[in-house]
């Protein structure tokens, strides 16, 4: 059965009596939600298409028994102003609070004593770069000479321009070596932060993206790197509250609906094919289309001539993230999170409250182990991962020794982010295409940011702004101001 509709074009008239502008946004991740809200807030009639039965893209929740599980641990920083504004737009900023001040416990089990050794990366209220001076001076995981070398490298990093094309083609690891950074310093500091934010080691990362991360988070404002994370399931933010905001803005949201093709007609409008299942099709007419889907899906939908070199999209690689979920029968961690050294474990978060485990009143603790740049582990069987990581958690957390494991399971995002390899910057397209009325969004587009929730939201703002400019409509919103 095939239906034809003018989709978002029917409805109230603009103030001058003309039919309102219409837009179709393909993709219901953070980029697509943002673009749809920005367009709708400017008076455009919007239809949002999402193939999954939920919104949120790769930052979502699911049920496991009577617990609500996030597919992976997602955090943001105080410098992520667009994502903060996005949460505020959803009425959810209070559900993902920030630390008062950056404070990261770092446990090292590679110490010769064999005992976990605790260090902390934290800031003071002093101006940059003095805000981290005390923490660095007492950081026990580096020698005095290594700490001094970090200071010199940070000053050199502060002088770089992340937008310099030459930096895009240079690898961060090689630059660090040239600045006197030892292998231990890279492991205990630069990769500790960089792997979590870039989803790649220093040797596999573009210097331009690394410089952007470290300058923005650590070398601009004292509080820029303060960490925030959802204290409720991600689905509450990116699906439930996002859908409510879209409904209130007048966006028509179609879940379990995929775009099958887009084409520009002779009169300059767009036809978007949509399908909810075999034999069910709809054709939407729009003045603007935003493709807010991954690069390969975008490539498949692009009409001829939309990009000069569309094949470049296929050259943007991907990188995996693995998350291990462990439910213990007792409390084994007293901090909300920590990072690890000398172990394959990277970052561990306490998700007992947000998952609903605490509300059951049965005791126990649920820890999420987040493993970025997980190429070596992403395909390992669950039994093998269990045998590898449970003993590591016992090394890091003595209280876990002898604790019962009620549940152990794994979530895998094989294409979690774009790979921030040297040269990736020249492959990332801007929001505008060569074809009027067609725009691109997604963390993989040219936002200047790595593949983060902040980058995804910024891309949606950029795409909506480009569309509104071409439609002759003003783009005034808190999200635009945040970008």
């Amino acid at each position: 059965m095939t239906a034809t509709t003018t989709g978002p074009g029917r409805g109230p008239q603009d103030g001058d009596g003309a039919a309102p502008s219409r837009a179709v946004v393909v993709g219901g991740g953070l980029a697509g939600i943002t673009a749809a809200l920005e367009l709708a807030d400017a008076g455009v009639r919007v239809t949002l298409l999402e193939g999954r039965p939920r919104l949120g893209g790769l930052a979502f929740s699911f049920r496991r028994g009577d617990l609500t599980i996030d597919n992976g641990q997602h955090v943001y920083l105080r410098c992520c102003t667009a994502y903060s504004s996005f949460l505020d737009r959803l009425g959810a900023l209070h559900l993902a609070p920030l630390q008062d001040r950056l404070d990261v416990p770092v446990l090292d089990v590679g110490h010769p004593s064999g005992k976990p050794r605790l260090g902390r990366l934290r800031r003071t209220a002093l101006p940059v770069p003095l805000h981290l001076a005390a923490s660095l001076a007492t950081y026990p995981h580096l020698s005095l000479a290594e700490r001094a070398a970090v200071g010199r490298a940070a000053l050199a990093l502060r002088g770089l321009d992340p937008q310099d094309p030459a930096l895009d083609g240079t690898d961060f690891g090689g630059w660090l070596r040239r600045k006197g950074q030892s292998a231990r310093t890279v492991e205990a500091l630069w990769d500790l932060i960089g792997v979590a934010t870039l989803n790649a080691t220093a040797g596999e990362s573009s210097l331009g993206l690394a410089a952007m991360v470290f300058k923005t988070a650590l070398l601009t404002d004292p509080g820029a790197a303060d960490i925030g994370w959802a204290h409720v399931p991600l689905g509450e933010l990116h699906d439930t509250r996002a859908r409510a905001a879209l409904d209130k803005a007048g966006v028509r949201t179609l879940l379990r609906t995929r775009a099958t093709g887009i084409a520009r007609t002779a009169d300059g409008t767009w036809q978007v094919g949509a399908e909810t299942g075999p034999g069910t099709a709809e054709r939407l007419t729009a003045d603007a289309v935003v493709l807010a889907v991954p690069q390969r899906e975008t490539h498949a939908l692009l009409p001829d001539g939309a990009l000069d070199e569309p094949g470049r999209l296929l050259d943007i690689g991907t990188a995996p993230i693995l998350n291990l979920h462990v439910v213990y029968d007792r409390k084994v961690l007293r901090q909300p999170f920590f990072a690890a050294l000398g172990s394959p474990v990277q970052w561990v978060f306490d998700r007992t409250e947000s998952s609903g485990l605490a509300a059951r009143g049965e005791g126990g603790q649920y820890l999420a182990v987040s493993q970025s740049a997980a190429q070596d582990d992403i395909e390992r069987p669950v039994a093998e991962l269990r045998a590898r990581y449970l003993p590591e958690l016992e090394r890091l957390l003595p209280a876990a020794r002898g604790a019962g494991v009620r549940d152990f399971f794994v979530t895998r995002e094989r294409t979690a982010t774009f790979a921030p390899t040297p040269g990736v910057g020249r492959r990332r397209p801007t929001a505008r295409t060569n074809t009027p009325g067609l725009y691109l969004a997604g963390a993989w587009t040219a936002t200047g940011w790595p593949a983060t929730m902040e980058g995804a939201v910024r891309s949606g703002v950029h795409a909506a702004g480009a569309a509104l400019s071409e439609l002759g409509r003003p783009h005034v919103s808190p999200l635009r101001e945040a970008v």
Side-chain angles (χ1 to χ4, degrees):
M1 179 178 179
T2 301
T4 302
T5 178
T6 54
R10 297 292 187 188
Q13 304 294 296
D14 279 349
D16 60 3
S21 300
R22 305 152 296 177
V24 172
V25 177
V26 181
L30 301 191
I33 296 168
T34 300
L37 287 172
E38 293 286 279
L39 290 166
D41 286 349
V44 177
R45 299 295 303 273
V46 182
T47 296
L48 174 64
L49 309 180
E50 169 53 54
R52 302 179 179 93
R54 53 155 183 84
L55 300 176
L58 293 180
F60 66 94
S61 304
F62 61 93
R63 296 289 294 179
R64 184 177 175 91
D66 53 2
L67 299 184
T68 303
I69 307 298
D70 289 347
N71 71 310
Q73 179 61 51
H74 291 71
V75 304
Y76 72 106
L77 306 180
R78 195 179 297 276
C79 61
C80 297
T81 52
Y83 181 68
S84 295
S85 295
F86 172 78
L87 290 179
D88 194 39
R89 175 69 177 78
L90 303 184
L93 187 56
H94 65 290
L95 300 176
L98 289 152
Q99 294 175 310
D100 292 333
R101 287 187 183 178
L102 173 71
D103 187 0
V104 179
V106 184
L107 275 174
D108 180 16
V109 288
H111 193 262
S113 68
K115 296 180 180 179
R117 189 178 187 185
L118 178 64
R120 303 190 89 94
L121 292 172
R122 50 188 168 190
R123 74 168 178 91
T124 66
L126 292 172
V128 174
L130 299 177
H131 66 311
L132 295 172
S135 177
L136 183 59
T138 58
Y139 191 52
H141 306 319
L142 296 178
S143 69
L144 181 61
E146 287 169 332
R147 288 178 233 159
V150 166
R152 292 191 294 272
L155 289 175
L157 196 62
R158 197 177 184 187
L160 298 179
D161 176 7
Q163 302 305 315
D164 182 349
L167 271 59
D168 174 51
T170 303
D171 77 275
F172 185 40
W175 184 88
L176 288 173
R177 286 193 300 274
R178 291 191 293 275
K179 297 302 177 183
Q181 305 302 285
S182 68
R184 173 61 176 176
T185 305
V186 173
E187 176 200 8
L189 185 66
W190 299 108
D191 269 353
L192 185 78
I193 299 167
V195 168
T197 52
L198 294 164
N199 199 21
T201 60
E204 298 295 325
S205 299
S206 155
L207 175 57
L209 281 173
M212 184 273 158
V213 166
F214 284 96
K215 283 192 68 170
T216 303
L218 299 176
L219 300 171
T220 52
D221 183 86
D226 299 343
I227 300 173
W229 65 94
H231 289 205
V232 298
L234 287 172
E236 169 67 18
L237 306 180
H238 302 155
D239 184 23
T240 304
R241 289 189 176 245
R243 272 199 256 184
L246 290 164
D247 289 347
K248 188 174 181 180
V251 175
R252 180 189 179 208
T253 302
L254 302 179
L255 301 178
R256 295 186 176 88
T257 304
R258 67 183 188 91
T260 57
I262 60 173
R264 191 164 186 252
T265 63
D267 65 0
T269 60
W270 287 89
Q271 296 291 319
V272 180
E275 188 176 85
T276 58
T280 61
E282 184 173 354
R283 189 169 70 249
L284 305 171
T285 300
D287 303 296
V289 175
V290 177
L291 295 180
V293 290
Q295 54 267 39
R296 289 189 174 275
E297 192 173 342
T298 296
H299 181 269
L301 290 170
L302 281 176
D304 291 341
L307 293 180
D308 290 336
E309 299 178 68
R312 289 186 306 172
L313 302 190
L314 303 180
D315 294 332
I316 300 174
T318 59
I321 295 178
L322 176 74
N323 281 269
L324 314 170
H325 308 263
V326 188
V327 181
Y328 289 101
D329 64 356
R330 66 185 187 216
K331 193 176 185 71
V332 300
L333 173 64
R334 300 195 178 279
Q335 302 281 349
F337 69 93
F338 71 92
L341 297 174
S343 167
V345 171
Q346 294 176 14
W347 291 75
V348 180
F349 280 77
D350 180 5
R351 302 300 296 174
T352 307
E353 292 285 343
S354 66
S355 67
L357 177 61
R360 287 164 48 174
E362 301 172 357
Q365 189 172 31
Y366 163 31
L367 302 183
V369 183
S370 182
Q371 301 291 107
S372 299
Q375 287 86 347
D376 292 342
D377 279 347
I378 194 67
E379 300 299 344
R380 288 182 192 263
V382 173
E384 196 173 318
L385 291 169
R386 180 182 179 121
R388 174 175 168 82
Y389 281 96
L390 285 182
E392 288 297 326
L393 288 172
E394 291 183 2
R395 288 179 66 207
L396 290 158
L397 302 172
R401 297 166 191 168
V405 177
R406 292 178 181 167
D407 199 5
F408 180 97
F409 57 100
V410 175
T411 51
R412 311 172 199 259
E413 296 296 343
R414 292 173 173 83
T415 57
T417 69
F418 74 84
T421 50
V424 71
R426 62 176 177 267
R427 300 184 181 98
R428 299 171 72 184
T430 64
R432 293 182 183 273
T433 70
N434 295 335
T435 308
L438 179 62
Y439 310 93
L440 307 181
W444 55 274
T445 61
T447 65
W449 284 69
T452 57
M453 296 188 295
E454 175 73 5
V457 172
R458 283 175 176 257
S459 77
V461 174
H462 292 161
L468 291 171
S469 175
E470 196 163 311
L471 292 171
R473 289 177 173 269
H475 184 202
V476 180
S477 78
L479 269 72
R480 184 191 181 196
E481 295 304 314
V483 170

